[in-house]
Amino acid sequence: MASEQAAVEPRRPLSGRRLNTGDLILLVTAASAAVAVVALVALIVYKVVEGAKLSFQTFGISFVWTVAWDPVKEVFGAGSFLFGTVLTSLLALALATPLSIGIALYLTELAPRYLRGPITSLVETLAAIPSVVLGLWGIIVLGPFLSQHVEPWLHDTLGFIPLFGPPSTAGASVFTATIILTIMMLPIIASITRELFLGVPRDLKEGSLALGSTRWEMVRGVVFPYARGGIAAAMILGLGRGLGEAIAVTQVIGGGVFISWNLFSTGDTLASKIAASYQGATTNVEVASLFYLAVILLVFSLVANIAAQWIVRTVNRKQGGAAT
Amino acid sequence: MTEPSPTGSGVLQVPHLRRRRIVNKSMEALALLTALIAVGVLVLVVFSVARRSWSALNLDLLTKTPIPFSLTNEPTGLANAFVGSIVIVGLATLMALPVGILIAIYLNEFAPPKINASVSLVLDVLNGIPAIVIGIFVYGLVVVGHGQSGYAGAFALACLMLPLVARSTQEILVLVPNSTREASLALGVPRWRTTLSIVLPQTIGGIVTGTTLAVARVAGETAPLLFTSSIVGTSINFNPAHALQTIPVAIFEYSESPDPKDHAQAWAASLVLLIFILVANLGARALAARSKRRMGLG
């Protein structure tokens, strides 16, 4: 991760020495590659914003919270998709974080040594499953299972909470999307958290145990406070993954332009709306509105990334770089 | 509920010991449960894919092409998608690999620390941009003017690969000991030759590992291809100037089809994709372990 990079001393054995022609050629070629990647990111931002211009001129900033997507009347807005994105991602994060911390604790504190390697690999393999395969599984296996067994039960027992309304009919629902996003966030947060826990100094942990605390008290008193900042950064990275996931969510969420607190109804997220419209968008305004959705997503991902970096840096400074 | 007080046997009595032990045990059980859930989900997904793909998993999948709106039982397959995936991912690798390695060389061997940090941040930002946004970016950049093509799709995938390749190369370059560079330079070897023929060869293992992981990652990407290479015919096509069908896009389209035969093919294609990705991941891991041992870091 970035934090590891920052901690390593940069290698410049020859700074200040004169460069010959060959050196210059390599330096210029390599440097232009670095310039190119910076230009690429700038170009991505420029092109996506430029593509949204028509929609921005037509609907202005109120596009962001307007609930509408009507290609016939040519009225578009991101309101319901924004709602769906935030709802699914935050719920998935709320589910994935405790699960990930549990996995990381098991892998660093509890598992027998011969199991640690294999289980770590398995959890990381979960991240390698393509989203389209997870989405296929979600719509054909997970969705129907949830709508027949889990959703009725949740509705019966917790129905007084508006989130658990009448169960979905076919399995395509915001709830299914949330579970799929949870599965996607899990390996990201778990593997970062595991590395954080491995970095907790041994003498602190042993000191706590020597004072008579149980293993859980040691974890709560030493491991958690030590890793707190890093876990926050890991959560933000996981959230970024959830906000931007398009394919799997499109497959399982069912679509719809409305705001509903019922998790078992269908819905859409920003990313899933873009993916679902890949063949349907016809008018210029609709295409520009898809770009507008992408602008909102881009802002989300940039903010999430920079926030995570900032947290890592602040934590590193506080701990004197000891966390890495 | 009592104050700690020495008992007759001289053992310190600790308050709430029973409760603390119960809390401890339940937390340990919960942690075990979470690990079981994670492994269970993986097993469940792989098992589902394997079981459901059985009926469509045969040689036809790799050799035959789809027949649209077919009512007969003529065997069909996804040969066009396999060819398209190989062409597009291959092209993307050709685009991303040299640029990624050059970026890493610049950052590690030449750049001042401040530039290193900021370009690394840009790479992380690029890595964090959602794949669907990359897709719509390439749509705006290339497809609007020139139409969909394999090149456009490959460029979109290359955008995703670039930060992965650059970052992993950077990580392995850092591990090359400075003494190697200094020994070469002390012998009068110019800096560019030191970098290209002394430093870089030591990192080949790491670069191959990083590239394999990046290839495995983008081979399953659908989102960047939806807007760049998805409006396709059913014949086998090697020419990236046309839009090419790919495995992920085919799975995506078939998963939304009402025809159960399409579902079976989607599962079978998923299995092939999964096996490729898992093998690539395991291979990369084994290679990484081996090259680390070689560099004396195992």
Side-chain angles (χ1 to χ4, degrees), chain B:
Chain B
M1 290 291 145
T2 54
E3 287 291 304
S5 61
T7 56
S9 58
V11 177
L12 205 66
Q13 218 169 26
V14 185
H16 312 309
L17 191 57
R18 224 178 110 80
R19 208 191 65 198
R20 289 169 55 201
R21 280 201 178 129
I22 292 172
V23 169
N24 184 48
K25 279 289 161 211
S26 22
M27 286 303 171
E28 288 186 7
L30 277 178
L32 174 65
L33 186 70
T34 57
L36 286 179
I37 289 175
V39 175
V41 167
L42 178 70
V43 171
L44 213 62
V45 172
V46 173
F47 178 75
S48 294
V49 173
R51 196 170 63 96
R52 280 158 200 266
S53 60
W54 211 241
S55 65
L57 194 67
N58 47 39
L59 220 56
D60 288 339
L61 186 77
L62 301 176
T63 54
K64 297 272 195 313
T65 52
I67 303 167
F69 315 114
S70 156
L71 295 173
T72 62
N73 265 334
E74 217 174 320
T76 60
L78 285 168
N80 58 334
F82 283 101
V83 168
S85 264
I86 291 169
V87 170
I88 287 185
V89 173
L91 268 176
T93 314
L94 283 182
M95 293 181 199
L97 188 60
V99 182
I101 293 176
L102 280 172
I103 293 171
I105 288 179
Y106 172 71
L107 293 182
N108 258 69
E109 309 292 318
F110 293 100
K114 268 207 172 143
I115 292 186
N116 187 347
S118 26
V119 176
S120 298
L121 178 67
V122 170
L123 285 172
D124 287 341
V125 166
L126 181 57
N127 194 27
I129 294 179
I132 190 80
V133 176
I134 300 282
I136 210 158
F137 153 67
V138 177
Y139 175 83
L141 185 73
V142 184
V143 178
V144 167
H146 304 87
Q148 292 198 346
S149 67
Y151 289 121
F155 178 61
L157 292 188
C159 292
L160 293 177
M161 282 182 88
L162 191 59
L164 301 174
V165 172
R167 279 314 227 152
S168 61
T169 309
Q170 253 185 309
E171 273 165 29
I172 199 84
L173 274 175
V174 167
L175 297 180
V176 176
N178 251 358
S179 52
T180 320
R181 293 186 182 84
E182 281 156 6
S184 164
L185 295 166
L187 289 170
V189 181
R191 199 165 161 182
W192 67 274
R193 287 214 57 181
T194 305
T195 305
L196 294 184
S197 48
I198 307 291
V199 177
L200 214 51
Q202 294 192 48
T203 63
I204 289 295
I207 292 175
V208 172
T209 306
T211 310
T212 312
L213 287 175
V215 166
R217 156 86 199 280
V218 301
E221 278 290 347
T222 319
L225 298 173
L226 278 184
F227 286 90
T228 54
S229 180
S230 66
I231 301 170
V232 293
T234 55
S235 57
I236 294 179
N237 195 341
F238 288 91
N239 183 359
H242 303 283
L244 304 177
Q245 179 67 305
T246 52
I247 290 297
V249 173
I251 298 172
F252 179 67
E253 285 171 350
Y254 281 11
S255 77
E256 313 217 308
S257 151
D259 185 353
K261 214 173 126 201
D262 284 352
H263 282 176
Q265 292 218 331
W267 286 110
S270 298
L271 183 67
V272 176
L273 187 61
L274 260 186
I275 290 174
F276 168 73
I277 288 171
L278 295 186
V279 167
N281 266 284
L282 288 178
R285 242 175 257 278
L287 205 68
R290 213 186 69 154
S291 59
K292 262 194 183 166
R293 264 203 312 279
R294 270 208 180 152
M295 287 173 81
L297 293 153

Side-chain angles (χ1 to χ4, degrees), chain A residues 195-217:
Chain A
E195 273 170 34
L196 290 167
F197 288 176
L198 283 178
V200 179
R202 212 189 153 114
D203 43 355
L204 288 184
K205 297 204 289 193
E206 284 174 354
S208 170
L209 291 173
L211 287 172
S213 49
T214 62
R215 204 186 259 155
W216 166 244
E217 286 162 347

